Amino acid sequence: MKKEAMFWTPLKDEAVQCDLCPHHCVIASQKHGICGVRKNEQGRLYSLIYQACSSIATDPIEKKPLYHFYPGSLVLSLGSVGCTFRCDHCQNYQISMAHPAELSLRDVPAERLSKLAVEQGCQGVAWTYNEPTIWHEYTFEAAKLIKKAGLYTVYVTNGYIEEEPLKEIAPYLDAMNIDVKAFDEASYKKVCKARLAPVLQTCERTRKLGIHLELTYLVIPGMNDDMFEINRFCQWVVETLGADTPVHFSRFHPDYKMTDVKPTSLATLRRCHSIATESGLRFVYLGNIAHGDYDNTYCPSCKNLLIERYGFSSDLKGLTQGKCSRCNASIPVRMK
Ligand code: SF4
């Protein structure tokens, strides 16, 4: 469904500039922005995906991944189409690179989401699968209603959003998992066709706005797995966002235009884990690998097992009201 977009500026000759994300596309009449879902029609900018869903599912919150946010809860998860990035390794390229007209999208009005979530036994709603920030007109309206109904809201995002729209939705957004695709501008430009600096700015702003934040770093052999780069990333997280920020290093699987690159080895992921913990990060996880200790949350003070995870399920073994049940240390886990 089409709706007039927010965050744009009219230019001369019926052109417009979109101000939603750091691309700041200048769009001529009848053309689309880079994301493919915002179109200039006679000098006005429109979102083509208002309340248009490509996928709806009930997921464990751990699948986002969010490990320190309502562990063990289910979340109603929605995706649309389009993305601000053009990653060669995109694992959801069927929807992220699609044009709204290419897929049959289902209209799900914002007013229906909280009821739908409760019916499915969910405690919240997540915008995920494709990039949620380009769905701003819908997610902003829906997030207000979902919060009013007492449920939580989540973005799983590449972090490419301008300050004003982020500030606008922040009071109604509880948690974000932001993908950091590399810690190097050249890699962002080459592989994602975007820039790193605005993503890091969004991470900082998210933290300052009080939104729960976890980071995912997909480790791609030969692209972003240099251990100096990993070390610089970890140092930056500790110094800028804080040592309590959960960081997920995730295993790469060949996909889309990057089928010639091998999956990340377990040895590389273990090295990332060691570097991160040596940097001072207190909650580091490895994702997309068979179950092991790297999924669990331990108390940084006494090493007590706090949350044991099997696949995407969580068992609160040693966590009582946000504290370690053995040494009483405060653990940053958001729960009801
Ligand atoms: S949201 Fe889309 S149209 Fe707007 S600046 Fe970003 S890529 Fe361009």
Side-chain angles (χ1 to χ4, degrees):
M1 181 175 157
K2 191 171 86 174
K3 186 177 170 97
E4 184 159 329
M6 301 163 81
F7 300 102
W8 61 276
T9 315
L11 304 174
K12 61 179 182 182
D13 299 328
E14 287 197 337
V16 300
Q17 178 175 301
C18 177
D19 301 315
L20 182 57
C21 93
H23 284 308
H24 290 282
C25 298
V26 172
I27 311 169
S29 187
Q30 304 311 311
K31 300 288 183 193
H32 300 82
I34 289 170
C35 58
V37 299
R38 297 169 85 76
K39 186 180 180 192
N40 176 352
E41 293 189 358
Q42 283 86 42
R44 303 199 78 76
L45 189 65
Y46 291 89
S47 162
L48 304 180
I49 54 168
Y50 186 77
Q51 72 184 33
C53 297
S54 64
S55 9
I56 304 186
T58 298
D59 286 335
I61 193 72
E62 287 77 9
K63 199 173 173 184
K64 301 299 121 192
L66 288 173
Y67 278 13
H68 288 235
F69 184 82
Y70 289 75
S73 68
L74 291 174
V75 59
L76 186 73
S77 303
L78 296 97
S80 185
V81 293
C83 188
T84 44
F85 285 11
R86 287 288 173 267
C87 301
D88 291 342
H89 56 281
C90 183
Q91 306 201 329
N92 284 332
Y93 66 92
Q94 293 95 337
I95 55 171
S96 68
M97 306 293 169
H99 187 272
E102 288 169 3
L103 298 178
S104 68
L105 303 174
R106 179 176 151 200
D107 263 1
V108 182
E111 304 77 44
R112 279 188 49 204
L113 284 178
S114 42
K115 187 164 178 274
L116 209 55
V118 171
E119 280 169 4
Q120 301 294 321
C122 298
Q123 290 184 48
V125 174
W127 292 282
T128 173
Y129 306 134
N130 75 310
E131 178 49 44
T133 53
I134 54 171
W135 220 1
H136 187 85
E137 291 74 15
Y138 175 60
T139 58
F140 176 52
E141 283 311 310
K144 285 191 276 188
L145 296 170
I146 292 159
K147 290 303 299 165
K148 212 168 165 186
L151 304 179
Y152 66 68
T153 55
V154 169
Y155 261 11
V156 179
T157 173
N158 61 24
Y160 224 54
I161 182 169
E162 271 303 342
E163 185 171 14
E164 284 313 306
L166 179 64
K167 274 174 141 173
E168 182 176 70
I169 198 167
Y172 313 102
L173 198 54
D174 294 297
M176 286 167 80
N177 184 300
I178 299 182
D179 272 332
V180 176
K181 312 262 181 189
F183 205 69
D184 175 68
E185 280 290 359
S187 300
Y188 256 79
K189 191 173 174 193
K190 184 168 173 232
V191 178
C192 310
K193 323 296 179 279
R195 290 181 293 129
L196 168 65
V199 176
L200 302 185
Q201 262 185 336
T202 299
C203 294
E204 285 190 61
R205 287 172 183 151
T206 300
R207 172 63 85 225
K208 284 182 188 147
L209 288 164
I211 300 169
H212 175 81
L213 174 65
E214 303 195 19
L215 303 180
T216 297
Y217 190 110
L218 180 71
V219 185
I220 305 178
M223 196 282 253
N224 61 9
D225 64 341
D226 179 283
M227 290 302 144
F228 290 107
E229 184 175 343
I230 299 285
N231 189 41
R232 284 191 295 115
F233 164 65
C234 296
Q235 296 287 347
W236 177 83
V237 178
V238 171
E239 287 162 17
T240 315
L241 306 176
D244 280 349
T245 309
V247 173
H248 304 257
F249 289 102
S250 193
R251 188 178 195 214
F252 165 81
H253 293 286
D255 216 330
Y256 192 41
K257 295 180 183 169
M258 222 185 250
T259 49
D260 53 337
V261 177
K262 290 211 169 99
T264 328
S265 71
L266 194 52
T268 298
L269 289 167
R270 282 189 179 134
R271 276 203 297 279
C272 294
H273 191 280
S274 299
I275 287 173
T277 47
E278 282 160 21
S279 301
L281 284 168
R282 286 150 49 99
F283 303 102
V284 184
Y285 303 100
L286 301 185
N288 286 348
I289 58 168
H291 170 69
D293 250 9
Y294 294 108
D295 262 354
N296 297 331
T297 302
Y298 292 91
C299 174
S301 303
C302 73
K303 308 300 171 210
N304 184 25
L305 176 58
L306 302 171
I307 307 175
E308 188 170 33
R309 297 186 181 84
Y310 299 96
F312 292 125
S313 71
S314 286
D315 188 0
L316 302 187
K317 291 256 175 175
L319 192 65
T320 315
Q321 293 178 335
K323 292 188 187 283
C324 170
S325 56
R326 186 196 286 163
C327 75
N328 216 30
S330 283
I331 307 297
V333 176
R334 264 198 213 185
M335 301 166 85
K336 211 161 199 174

